[in-house]
Amino acid sequence: MLSKYALRQKTAASLVWLRPSRRWVQDDARNRLSNFWVPTQRVLDNDKQPESGHDLLVRAGYLRQAHSGIFHLLPLGLRVQDKVERLIDKHMQSIGASKVSLSSISSEELWQRSGRLDKGRASELLHLEDRKGAKYLLSPTHEEEITTIIANAVHSYKELPLRLYQVSRKYRDELRPRQGLLRGREFVMKDLYTFDSNAKKALETYHDVRRAYSAFMKELGLPHLLAKADSGNMGGSLSHEYHFASPDGEDTIIKCNSCEYSVNEELYVARYDPRQAPLPREINNSAESDVSSAVAIEHYVSKDGKTLCTIYYPGNDGEPNIYAVKAVFPDTDSALRGEQVRKQYVLSSADSPLDGSSDYQQISFKDPRLSLHTFNSTTDPELVEAIQNSPIPRHEDKVITFAKAQAGEQCPNCNSGTISLHQAVEIGHTFHLGQRYSKPLEANVLNENNKKVPIEMGCHGIGVSRLIGAVASILADDKGLNWPFAIAPFQVIIVPSTHATSSEVEAVYDRIVGNRLVPEFDVAIDDRERQLGWKLNDADLVGYPFIVVMGNMWRKKQMVELQCRRLGVIMDIAVHISASELVGTIREMSARLQGTV
């Protein structure tokens, strides 16, 4: 227990409690906050303002910022991270994966061999050089290293399949770290690497991992979005993302309300809808001020700077969908567009494609190497005819539009559904890599015919620190954090008043814990020398799923008050009448929190 001479000091921004340097520590195998550092911070009433999930993580004592995009985890934060890792271990073991721990330092030479040390990627990497001039990286991911290990250790298809995973710190020289744990320079990530003897078995493994990921998400008790995604720099031809819907998210997930269509906007290409396309007669009859909103023009340049891509799209849809442009013109340099292209490459052009005297194919270029590739988004037959020799953009044999996705549009996958847009935070990603890394790094095995073949690979990640930051943001309310039952730092906190004796508090603790060797619930006692109201506010801020209050009702009737803020529940339970009533109620309510009832 803390000395009664604990001092309180007020500052302009917060109330900070200063404790004596010496304190008593009880060692009876029960979790006590007096033995546990919980450096929460109180804000004064006149300093209150809306707080983000990251702000609450700092104020509730989970972490502190060291540098831009780099954070220290404090005891509460580490307990949450450990529980996320244990949950990951459970579901990785369910698919026969073995845990490894790879070094955070990787060789630049390996990344050059795999082809990932290009100009675009290198800017995101943190580079090291030792005293001998050898060049290394602080790894953002470990495909090269794990593939090299397997190349040297596995030589026959009989040694496959192999599934290896780790939970480790990763590094990325993020240009603009923001939103705390959601986008940092140092982060904790789980990555699973899978190795199979052929493509068929690799795809079976991919679906096994997807099922394990779904089970992991379900155990968290939070709804998630699954979306088909672009493999990007990672490589491969098949990938899926796992998201939490959140206003803090940087991704947009597009879902159909009728079929299973769900994609990241990076893969969204809308079908042509003649009802939304401006017709030539509408254009000709429009007032001059309305013309630009009917059809707009945009210029792009190929990565080699030799081809100009000019597209036409409905002007009232704002910016065009760059991903749709890339679907029909994959070589597009998306970093250079619009006014930048006109200034750098175009001398003069018909900026309005609606001028009947203009020849849409006649655009003058500063660089004589440029050829013209024109696409028309509206694809109305009359308008296509008006734009001479303009190809109709197609993607996967469907006539498309370059307009960005709009809520309520027809689903491009089915005829009956409409799409909705969801802002989301990505917390997991699965990739079917194929031979993307095994070929350049020479990870081969002898197959059934005694022939050397490249190993088929997969890579599957979960952002552990990002998940913690996302959950904090999604479930927070005006009182504080609200943790899912499975990863809460403590699932039940007992908050006694001075009316409850130490032996009574310990008896309630023991009833909830049950068998200490295999406890059913993770419980702690707030035995700090504070007023009951202060401790209750502190419990709300920290975000324990269940609060057991031993207050006035305990003094009067030997009854505790059970609180669960996420379920909106406050109830009195007569512990002295039925020893199992409290435990049974917590068990039933925790099942509701996890979505199992």
Side-chain angles (χ1 to χ4, degrees):
M1 295 177 60
L2 294 175
S3 165
K4 65 180 180 179
Y5 300 108
L7 302 177
R8 181 178 67 179
Q9 177 180 323
K10 292 184 178 180
T11 67
S14 64
L15 296 177
V16 180
W17 292 88
L18 301 180
R19 298 178 173 88
S21 60
R22 183 178 180 181
R23 64 181 186 177
W24 296 100
V25 176
Q26 296 191 40
D27 185 15
D28 61 358
R30 296 184 179 92
N31 296 319
R32 298 174 181 274
L33 293 193
S34 60
N35 297 346
F36 194 82
W37 190 41
V38 186
T40 53
Q41 299 173 342
R42 298 277 163 221
V43 297
L44 298 176
D45 290 341
N46 56 3
D47 293 324
K48 283 185 177 179
Q49 56 184 348
E51 294 179 286
S52 67
H54 173 68
D55 294 334
L56 289 170
L57 284 172
V58 172
R59 195 159 69 82
Y62 285 84
L63 54 83
R64 292 292 185 268
Q65 181 167 323
H67 310 284
S68 176
I70 299 174
F71 301 92
H72 299 307
L73 281 186
L74 303 186
L76 281 175
L78 187 58
R79 281 189 73 89
V80 173
Q81 180 175 293
D82 287 345
K83 289 192 174 184
V84 174
E85 290 187 31
R86 286 200 292 271
L87 197 58
I88 287 171
D89 290 341
K90 171 184 173 181
H91 292 285
M92 290 299 96
Q93 290 164 10
S94 74
I95 57 173
S98 300
K99 196 171 187 179
V100 299
S101 179
L102 304 182
S103 170
S104 294
I105 298 176
S106 184
S107 164
E108 278 196 8
E109 186 270 334
L110 277 180
W111 281 63
Q112 287 171 341
R113 284 177 59 192
S114 71
R116 286 209 293 178
L117 200 63
D118 53 34
K119 183 178 179 181
R121 182 74 177 182
S123 63
E124 297 181 359
L125 302 174
L126 288 166
H127 300 263
L128 300 173
E129 186 172 322
D130 67 11
R131 67 182 69 188
K132 298 178 181 179
K135 295 182 178 181
Y136 299 94
L137 306 170
L138 286 178
S139 293
T141 183
H142 281 84
E143 283 75 20
E144 286 79 4
E145 295 288 348
I146 195 70
T147 306
T148 301
I149 293 173
I150 298 304
N152 294 326
V154 177
H155 306 289
S156 169
Y157 77 96
K158 295 179 181 179
E159 299 173 73
L160 301 175
L162 193 58
R163 299 167 180 180
L164 303 173
Y165 80 100
Q166 66 169 343
V167 180
S168 64
R169 292 182 179 272
K170 305 294 178 69
Y171 301 88
R172 175 177 56 215
D173 192 6
E174 185 66 47
L175 181 62
R176 290 181 295 275
R178 54 197 178 277
Q179 296 182 306
L181 297 178
L182 295 185
R183 185 160 292 278
R185 290 178 171 169
E186 181 186 49
F187 49 96
V188 177
M189 186 172 179
K190 187 283 300 183
D191 40 7
L192 165 71
Y193 300 100
T194 63
F195 305 87
D196 286 276
S197 58
N198 58 55
K200 181 174 183 261
K201 292 180 178 179
L203 286 174
E204 291 173 357
T205 294
Y206 184 86
H207 292 298
D208 287 344
V209 175
R210 281 189 57 188
R211 284 191 288 269
Y213 268 39
S214 294
F216 169 78
M217 298 295 176
K218 184 177 180 181
E219 193 157 352
L220 283 175
L222 293 174
H224 71 278
L225 301 170
L226 172 65
K228 191 173 181 181
D230 182 16
S231 296
N233 185 268
M234 192 67 71
S237 57
L238 175 66
S239 73
H240 288 83
E241 293 173 345
Y242 298 77
H243 293 80
F244 290 145
S246 168
D248 295 328
E250 298 179 338
D251 289 298
T252 299
I253 304 303
I254 300 170
K255 287 179 62 66
C256 175
N257 63 3
S258 180
C259 68
E260 295 183 355
Y261 181 78
S262 179
V263 299
N264 190 302
E265 68 172 343
E266 295 175 351
L267 293 183
Y268 181 78
V269 179
R271 284 182 177 180
Y272 163 63
D273 185 351
R275 295 170 299 177
Q276 298 176 357
L279 300 176
R281 58 180 175 274
E282 295 174 339
I283 295 170
N284 294 334
N285 295 332
S286 298
E288 185 176 350
S289 60
D290 296 331
V291 165
S292 61
S293 65
V295 177
I297 188 172
E298 186 66 283
H299 300 292
Y300 297 91
V301 176
S302 60
K303 292 176 184 177
D304 63 6
K306 294 182 179 180
T307 303
L308 181 71
C309 172
T310 303
I311 68 163
Y312 303 100
Y313 64 99
N316 55 4
D317 287 327
E319 295 182 359
N321 180 0
I322 181 61
Y323 307 112
V325 176
K326 287 185 174 183
V328 293
F329 191 57
D331 199 38
T332 298
D333 183 355
S334 56
L336 202 61
R337 56 174 293 182
E339 188 62 27
Q340 294 173 297
V341 175
R342 282 190 287 272
K343 287 181 178 179
Q344 189 167 340
Y345 292 96
V346 183
L347 287 173
S348 62
S349 66
D351 280 338
S352 171
L354 310 176
D355 184 351
S357 63
S358 298
D359 184 347
Y360 301 117
Q361 298 288 341
Q362 297 296 320
I363 298 180
S364 300
F365 311 126
K366 296 178 183 178
D367 188 338
R369 298 175 303 165
L370 284 172
S371 59
L372 180 64
H373 198 162
T374 304
F375 289 113
N376 152 47
S377 175
T378 63
T379 65
D380 180 84
E382 295 180 46
L383 190 53
V384 171
E385 186 178 351
I387 301 176
Q388 298 295 323
N389 301 318
S390 175
I392 298 176
R394 288 180 175 270
H395 177 57
E396 297 179 349
D397 296 324
K398 296 176 183 176
V399 179
I400 66 169
T401 175
F402 293 121
K404 277 192 170 183
Q406 302 288 333
E409 287 181 353
Q410 181 182 1
C411 172
N413 188 60
C414 68
N415 295 322
S416 56
T418 57
I419 63 168
S420 56
L421 279 58
H422 305 268
Q423 198 171 350
V425 174
E426 179 190 349
I427 48 89
H429 206 146
T430 56
F431 297 90
H432 170 57
L433 299 174
Q435 301 171 3
R436 165 66 179 85
Y437 297 93
S438 56
K439 270 190 175 180
L441 298 175
E442 299 179 359
N444 303 312
V445 292
L446 291 173
N447 65 9
E448 296 92 333
N449 300 317
N450 210 34
K451 179 182 177 182
K452 271 191 176 183
V453 295
I455 295 174
E456 294 285 332
M457 291 179 56
C459 171
H460 317 275
I462 291 176
V464 175
S465 49
R466 172 174 277 211
L467 184 150
I468 293 170
V471 170
S473 176
I474 293 166
L475 296 182
D477 60 21
D478 58 351
K479 290 188 176 182
L481 298 167
N482 252 320
W483 292 104
F485 189 77
I487 62 172
F490 294 103
Q491 295 167 333
V492 183
I493 187 75
I494 299 173
V495 183
S497 70
T498 55
H499 303 304
T501 66
S502 296
S503 60
E504 290 173 334
V505 174
E506 291 168 1
V508 172
Y509 178 99
D510 292 342
R511 287 176 180 175
I512 300 173
V513 169
N515 184 345
R516 289 200 184 185
L517 295 177
V518 188
E520 183 174 1
F521 302 110
D522 188 11
V523 187
I525 301 170
D526 190 348
D527 59 344
R528 296 172 295 178
E529 192 173 282
R530 297 289 186 269
Q531 296 294 323
L532 180 63
W534 187 96
K535 290 195 283 188
L536 290 175
N537 287 334
D538 198 67
D540 281 337
L541 174 61
V542 172
Y544 307 107
F546 295 101
I547 303 173
V548 175
V549 185
M550 300 177 69
N552 286 330
M553 289 300 292
W554 181 264
R555 177 177 60 85
K556 295 176 182 179
K557 298 182 179 180
Q558 290 285 285
M559 296 178 72
V560 301
E561 181 181 276
L562 179 62
Q563 299 181 8
C564 178
R565 202 160 86 250
R566 279 188 66 195
L567 295 178
V569 172
I570 298 177
M571 62 174 65
D572 294 331
I573 299 177
V575 178
H576 70 286
I577 295 175
S578 171
S580 63
E581 187 176 1
L582 178 59
V583 174
T585 303
I586 293 175
R587 186 182 296 125
E588 183 273 331
M589 291 169 64
S590 65
R592 289 167 59 190
L593 285 177
Q594 296 177 90
T596 58
V597 295

